[in-house]
Amino acid sequence: MLIVAVVGPTATGKSDLALDLAQALAPAEVVNADAYQLYRGMDVGTAKVPVADRRGIVHHQLDVLDPHEDASVADYQAAARADLDAIDARGARAVVVGGSGLYVRALLDEMNFPGTDPDVRARLEERAEREGTRALHSELARLDPGAATSIGPANTRRIVRALEVIEITGEPFTANLPRQEYVRPAVQIGLDCDRETLDARVAGRVERMWELGLLDEVRALAPRLGRTAERAVGYAEVLAHLRGEITADEAREQITANTRRLARKQMGWFGRDSRVHWLDAQSPTLLADALEIVRAGDDGTLDTRTDERPTRRSLGS
């Protein structure tokens, strides 16, 4: 069954549309693709939909990690794809929702995550020290010219990683790079709005988070936050406040500014994917428009591999 993914920048209403679609397309289940909503207890700061507001719809990949754990895209891919298999086996529709572009692609697209070998990496790093990075880059150019072209001769870390992958897999490093090719039939619906509106939505969201107790949430989680979780927008700034580095008002201002920057970054990521079918987040016919895209995908009249229409709106332009 065609997977429906709702993507786009933060504060555009993705969660609400995903719930509306899941209800309209029932039986359907939601699969989270927001990296920080994976964490238990990180609720207010990630705008996680409360259980009472999930309309009885089953949600997956929420609250699956403790805050001290480091999120892994590879682990997410394996777990979330297993969820997709189970949802399909139940005869239900999967509605994926999230703004973490890498996680969306890991779930939907051809993307491999070669393992690591500490011994191989240590040997390559020792060679880089002894022979120089350019010597390893020359070796990479011989083994995988495409990788050598894309990786500069001074980028030791990436050169070492490319050679490590080649040795571990026996394949060129470029063979393991992600491709914009769905592993299952899917359609991506992107939500967008003009910059002024989005900025206002972000400000409103931060205000609501403050009222819902973001300070208390971060204070309670602080002793248990790991390297990944403590970098999340909203949490990093409040942690700085709790350490006495900035005032509460400064923390709130920084969260608003950093969330706006995050939205621009997300739009840049999803805006580069021509397969995304963009809709106006403020449209009074949003659900109907989204359902029309899904129906076209289901009956084969919509090209789910690419969308050449210039439908991206003015955000970030």
Side-chain angles (χ1 to χ4, degrees):
M1 190 178 298
L2 185 76
I3 297 167
V4 178
V6 181
V7 302
T10 189
T12 49
K14 296 187 298 296
S15 295
D16 288 341
L17 178 59
L19 286 168
D20 290 343
L21 283 169
Q23 281 190 314
L25 298 169
E29 302 176 25
V30 172
V31 180
N32 167 58
D34 181 296
Y36 291 112
Q37 290 193 10
L38 298 171
Y39 287 105
R40 300 181 187 94
M42 293 179 66
D43 303 328
V44 175
T46 64
K48 191 182 297 176
V49 178
V51 175
D53 295 335
R54 294 176 192 169
R55 310 180 197 177
I57 297 167
V58 176
H59 281 61
H60 302 272
Q61 296 306 309
L62 292 175
D63 304 321
V64 296
L65 294 176
D66 287 326
H68 70 271
E69 298 181 89
D70 288 331
S72 160
V73 182
D75 290 345
Y76 169 81
Q77 182 190 65
R81 285 187 176 180
D83 289 332
L84 293 182
D85 289 339
I87 292 167
D88 188 65
R90 288 190 285 271
R93 171 99 62 179
V95 178
V96 176
V97 58
S100 298
L102 182 59
Y103 281 67
V104 173
R105 288 205 61 189
L107 180 57
L108 300 182
D109 279 346
E110 284 284 356
M111 183 180 291
N112 300 318
F113 294 94
T116 61
D117 188 318
D119 293 334
V120 171
R121 179 168 296 188
R123 174 162 43 79
L124 289 167
E125 289 174 344
E126 188 276 330
R127 283 186 55 200
E129 286 283 337
R130 178 166 43 85
E131 302 174 24
T133 302
R134 287 189 176 275
L136 268 65
H137 190 266
S138 296
E139 181 174 331
L140 180 61
R142 177 175 57 82
L143 296 172
D144 188 346
T149 299
S150 65
I151 300 174
N155 195 331
T156 305
R157 182 182 62 82
R158 290 195 63 203
I159 293 169
V160 166
R161 176 56 179 160
L163 290 172
E164 178 189 19
V165 169
I166 291 170
E167 183 164 340
I168 290 172
T169 65
E171 298 179 333
F173 178 69
T174 48
N176 291 281
L177 294 177
R179 301 195 300 274
Q180 282 194 354
E181 181 179 327
Y182 294 138
V183 294
R184 296 173 173 84
V187 62
Q188 296 181 77
I189 298 171
L191 292 186
D192 193 3
C193 56
D194 64 86
R195 179 173 295 183
E196 183 178 352
T197 299
L198 184 62
D199 285 350
R201 285 189 175 206
V202 167
R205 169 174 285 192
V206 174
E207 188 66 29
R208 287 191 299 275
M209 288 177 176
W210 219 255
E211 294 171 355
L212 290 170
L214 179 60
L215 278 173
D216 290 337
E217 177 173 282
V218 179
R219 185 179 289 111
L221 289 171
R224 298 183 289 126
L225 291 175
R227 291 179 305 168
T228 302
E230 68 182 10
R231 292 198 300 265
V233 174
Y235 294 82
E237 297 85 355
V238 173
L239 286 170
H241 163 61
L242 295 177
R243 292 192 299 265
E245 297 169 7
I246 55 177
T247 67
D249 286 342
E250 288 171 336
R252 182 161 49 183
E253 291 170 3
Q254 288 183 19
I255 293 170
T256 302
N258 290 336
T259 302
R260 286 170 177 164
R261 277 192 282 271
L262 173 62
R264 308 282 191 267
K265 182 178 180 182
Q266 290 171 315
M267 192 62 231
W269 176 286
F270 291 112
R272 289 190 293 271
D273 191 339
S274 63
R275 299 169 300 173
V276 177
H277 300 259
W278 292 100
L279 295 176
D280 185 349
Q282 302 181 91
S283 171
T285 59
L286 178 60
L287 177 58
D289 295 341
L291 286 171
E292 183 57 34
I293 291 172
V294 176
R295 292 191 184 101
D298 282 339
D299 64 26
T301 60
L302 177 74
D303 186 348
T304 59
R305 295 168 300 169
T306 186
D307 181 8
E308 299 297 339
R309 299 173 301 162
T311 55
R312 181 189 167 189
R313 302 180 190 277
S314 61
L315 178 63
S317 60

